Amino acid sequence: MEVLNYLKQIYSGKKAIENHISLFSIVGIFVISFLKYTASFGGMLVYDDFFIAVPSTNKVLGVCLFICIMSLFYLIGYSFKFINQVFFSKETLLPDFTLAPFYMFVRYIPIIFYWSMQYFLICLLGWYILLFVKQISMGYIFAAIMLCIIPFYYMIVVAFSKRIKYESKYFSHLNILKLLNLTFGKVVLLILQIGIMTTIPSIILNKVLALDFPEKYLQLATTIKLGTFCLSSYIGLILFYVFTMGVVNLIKSKTADMV
């Protein structure tokens, strides 16, 4: 499968190991700060039978929220920087860790906001129309269609990532239709390959989270399950990068005029 080659490339190149350790660390910071913040609300099913220390004061809670938001912004910006690097680099794919991802995040706000609002308005209009149709099957069909076109909205963002210049072609619905026409089958195949690749890690990680530990090993259980959450998030991000590499190659081969 081509996705295996993409995965190999992500773990190849100069400073690859160092960059992956840094990436895992930032993902871990985000996950732990997120869990700490949301644990303060109590009774969340996501925690099941393991516990995490709840912030003791509102000040600590605010710090957890701040760290959570900033690490999320950094990871989003870093992912955009990764896309840009995939277009140009033939060696190291994971970018070095600097403050640049914060700048990248800000640069992408207009295009992300525009397409998010477009998607939201189409969904809103569709559901409004469905209120008069009153057929449940049509609702499922509409939901499936809207879900299926998400990757093609993402392809617009990926195409924008090569030069990061605001041009009309990156804000055109006609280009969404063009992408659908030229790459639909390839995108479906790419998603299926990612799904197959995800199967084994998902089974293993779910088994670990489902383990029952004796009460005397509660601290060990907390550490293992928290680490599993962090590892799951890291693997999910890597698989997203693999998908992104596939999208970049599709754009290069099928819609070169869009970049």
Side-chain angles (χ1 to χ4, degrees):
M1 292 191 299
E2 191 66 26
V3 291
L4 295 177
N5 292 328
Y6 299 151
L7 186 64
K8 181 180 178 181
Q9 290 177 49
I10 289 175
Y11 283 94
S12 303
K14 299 176 182 178
K15 298 176 67 175
I17 300 301
E18 296 174 30
N19 287 339
H20 276 281
I21 292 173
S22 299
L23 181 61
F24 180 78
S25 299
I26 295 176
V27 169
I29 290 170
F30 167 71
V31 171
I32 292 172
S33 59
F34 174 79
L35 291 177
K36 277 185 170 291
Y37 180 75
T38 53
S40 64
F41 297 105
M44 296 196 67
L45 296 177
V46 69
Y47 304 121
D48 197 14
D49 60 346
F50 87 97
F51 304 92
I52 188 168
V54 177
S56 56
T57 64
N58 287 335
K59 187 175 181 179
V60 176
L61 185 65
V63 170
C64 288
L65 178 60
F66 176 77
I67 293 174
C68 178
I69 292 173
M70 294 306 292
S71 56
L72 177 61
F73 286 171
Y74 188 91
L75 288 171
I76 293 173
Y78 185 82
S79 298
F80 291 143
K81 198 168 187 298
F82 170 81
I83 301 171
N84 178 262
Q85 188 133 326
V86 171
F87 273 107
F88 297 104
S89 177
K90 294 182 179 179
E91 296 181 2
T92 304
L93 290 181
L94 280 188
D96 291 336
F97 283 81
T98 63
L99 294 178
F102 288 118
Y103 169 75
M104 295 291 283
F105 175 79
V106 173
R107 287 294 302 274
Y108 277 77
I109 288 176
I111 192 167
I112 295 296
F113 177 78
Y114 175 81
W115 285 113
S116 296
M117 287 303 299
Q118 295 295 315
Y119 189 83
F120 172 75
L121 290 174
I122 292 172
C123 288
L124 196 64
L125 178 62
W127 286 115
Y128 179 76
I129 294 172
L130 287 170
L131 289 176
F132 297 96
V133 176
K134 295 181 180 180
Q135 289 187 11
I136 297 178
S137 60
M138 293 299 295
Y140 287 127
I141 293 172
F142 176 73
I145 292 173
M146 294 308 297
L147 188 63
C148 287
I149 64 173
I150 289 176
F152 301 95
Y153 277 94
Y154 178 62
M155 289 181 78
I156 291 285
V157 177
V158 171
F160 168 78
S161 300
K162 185 174 182 180
R163 295 188 177 88
I164 317 179
K165 292 182 179 179
Y166 302 113
E167 299 178 24
S168 59
K169 61 184 177 181
Y170 300 125
F171 297 89
S172 170
H173 283 87
L174 292 177
N175 280 330
I176 297 287
L177 297 176
K178 181 179 179 180
L179 288 168
L180 276 165
N181 180 50
L182 294 175
T183 65
F184 182 79
K186 294 288 186 180
V187 170
V188 171
L189 180 60
L190 178 61
I191 292 173
L192 287 175
Q193 290 180 352
I194 296 292
I196 293 171
M197 183 185 288
T198 306
T199 304
I200 295 177
S202 298
I203 293 173
I204 294 173
L205 293 170
N206 284 329
K207 290 289 185 182
V208 173
L209 289 174
L211 289 175
D212 288 324
F213 290 84
E215 188 172 345
K216 62 180 179 179
Y217 296 120
L218 183 60
Q219 186 60 47
L220 176 62
T222 300
T223 303
I224 290 175
K225 292 190 175 184
L226 190 57
T228 304
F229 266 97
C230 295
L231 183 59
S232 300
S233 301
Y234 166 77
I235 291 174
L237 186 59
I238 294 300
L239 290 173
F240 174 69
Y241 287 170
V242 170
F243 173 74
T244 297
M245 290 179 67
V247 169
V248 169
N249 286 330
L250 280 177
I251 289 174
K252 285 181 176 180
S253 61
K254 299 290 186 180
T255 59
D257 59 312
M258 284 193 61
V259 293

